[in-house]
Amino acid sequence: MRGGTRSVAASVMIGMKERPDRAAWLKGGEARCNVRTEQCGRPYRFVLLGAPGVGKGTQAELLAERFGSCHLSTGDIFRAAKMLSCGCHCGPVMAEAVKYMDAGQLVPDETVLALITERTKCFQCGGGFLLDGFPRTVGQAEALEKLLGKQDVKLDAVLSYELPLEQIVARLSGRRTCLICKRVYHIEARPPNRPGICDHCGADLFQREDDRPETIRVRMEAYEISTAPLIAFYRGRGLTISITAGNTPEETFERTLEALNNRRALEPNGF
Ligand code: AP5
Ligand code: MG
């Protein structure tokens, strides 16, 4: 670890080592998480931005382990609903959303915002949060600002990850995800100890349906048109931190910590 990042790292070695089960986020409604967050230190609240496959979910896992913040991914909500295969949480609206996802298109703002509104208690999570995949349009970002404002919750930073397209495509085609705990692997860059089996919970790994080449193209276009403008949106609010997502996940994570540490140097009352 570089000297410059050590102070941040040390200051965030907080109590919550267990990964939160995210029941409230993934299931919505009356579901509650079974993780105690009282021992967490100062809650950190970040948005992770970046093209599909850039490594947002991977960095969110590393950040969650380090900061104790809860990893809140909207894509994970849709995939969890799909896995329930028309159980009580997979009504017609969710079934429609899953169709958009499988085609690589963005789910309409109205649907996404209804899901988020149901889950606003997650913004009060004692460990803070890492928003991964939300917001994804300027409309969603404006709605998030209002929701957070009502709860008097402020974002600490928006981490914008960047990588050339050909490297992103290689990452997506080798990705494998745990059926149960949603941990993310890569068959070459981040392989599990036993092929096809999650190191963390022992469940099977699967390949996402939206990782087919033709769907990847649609997702990239949706990102460029609808999501990339959020980099400037949050820059205007002084929140965007750009981070190169190349090299290993651990190196990207080090760059993230360094960028956050620099940010603290710039804003003494911030981090
Ligand atoms: P979502 O689940 O958010 O997918 P995404 O944005 O397309 O991003 P990915 O999860 O594909 O990539 P990632 O950046 O997390 O990369 P990862 O860490 O896995 O959304 C899915 C769909 O849901 C959307 O297309 C849309 O339809 C819908 N949706 C969700 N939210 C929505 C919203 N708010 N509004 C509207 N629609 C919404 O890494 C990728 C691979 O690379 C992995 O295999 C990983 O192991 C590997 N890897 C990561 N880092 C490295 C590294 N440094 N070196 C080598 N390999 C690496
Ligand atoms: Mg992801």
Side-chain angles (χ1 to χ4, degrees):
M1 183 178 293
R2 295 181 198 179
T5 62
R6 194 166 287 138
S7 55
V8 164
S11 68
V12 296
M13 288 303 286
I14 52 183
M16 196 171 68
K17 278 287 175 194
E18 276 295 301
R19 191 178 199 220
D21 69 354
R22 302 187 296 163
W25 181 253
L26 294 176
K27 295 180 188 158
E30 294 306 307
R32 294 281 172 271
C33 300
N34 64 13
V35 173
R36 287 158 55 91
T37 54
E38 297 88 2
Q39 291 167 350
C40 292
R42 174 227 194 278
Y44 285 83
R45 298 172 179 123
F46 302 127
V47 166
L48 282 75
L49 277 184
V54 75
K56 301 180 295 296
T58 304
Q59 291 306 310
E61 282 174 15
L62 296 169
L63 286 160
E65 273 166 27
R66 182 60 64 87
F67 288 84
S69 312
C70 195
H71 177 191
L72 306 179
S73 154
T74 37
D76 281 350
I77 296 178
F78 297 128
R79 284 183 287 278
K82 192 175 167 181
M83 296 292 176
L84 287 174
S85 63
C86 295
C88 55
H89 296 283
C90 192
V93 174
M94 191 58 99
E96 192 66 20
V98 168
K99 275 192 208 161
Y100 281 100
M101 181 180 74
D102 284 347
Q105 295 163 356
L106 292 187
V107 175
D109 279 0
E110 203 186 348
T111 306
V112 175
L113 292 173
L115 288 178
I116 297 292
T117 306
E118 253 186 25
R119 291 160 169 80
T120 48
K121 277 194 188 143
C122 289
F123 297 148
Q124 298 287 351
C125 184
F129 58 77
L130 301 156
L131 276 174
D132 166 12
F134 176 83
R136 234 175 171 102
T137 64
V138 171
Q140 291 181 16
E142 288 169 345
L144 175 65
E145 262 183 356
K146 284 193 192 135
L147 289 170
L148 293 179
K150 274 187 202 158
Q151 300 195 43
D152 203 21
V153 167
K154 287 193 173 53
L155 293 175
D156 290 300
V158 172
L159 306 170
S160 173
Y161 291 98
E162 290 156 19
L163 194 70
L165 184 63
E166 63 276 9
Q167 290 183 46
I168 289 182
V169 173
R171 287 186 182 182
L172 286 175
S173 52
R175 171 165 55 193
R176 300 292 181 271
T177 307
C178 175
L179 265 173
I180 302 298
C181 76
K182 319 296 175 209
R183 256 169 213 249
V184 176
Y185 298 85
H186 189 278
I187 50 175
E188 285 163 8
R190 230 185 171 207
N193 294 328
R194 286 183 295 158
I197 306 291
C198 178
D199 296 344
H200 182 65
C201 71
D204 288 342
L205 305 182
F206 74 103
Q207 186 164 24
R208 275 172 45 177
E209 258 179 60
D210 60 349
D211 280 348
R212 296 189 307 266
E214 64 278 16
T215 315
I216 291 173
R217 190 179 47 76
V218 178
R219 288 163 65 199
M220 291 299 171
E221 280 171 13
Y223 171 76
E224 286 302 330
I225 294 168
S226 303
T227 311
L230 292 183
I231 299 171
F233 177 94
Y234 283 118
R235 188 172 292 124
R237 283 150 176 77
L239 287 169
T240 298
I241 300 179
S242 296
I243 298 161
T244 306
N247 307 108
T248 65
E250 289 71 25
E251 284 168 298
T252 301
F253 183 57
E254 283 299 308
R255 278 196 292 276
T256 303
L257 292 181
E258 195 179 341
L260 290 171
N261 203 33
N262 289 341
R263 168 95 176 201
R264 183 172 65 164
L266 288 172
E267 292 184 22
N269 297 323
F271 292 100

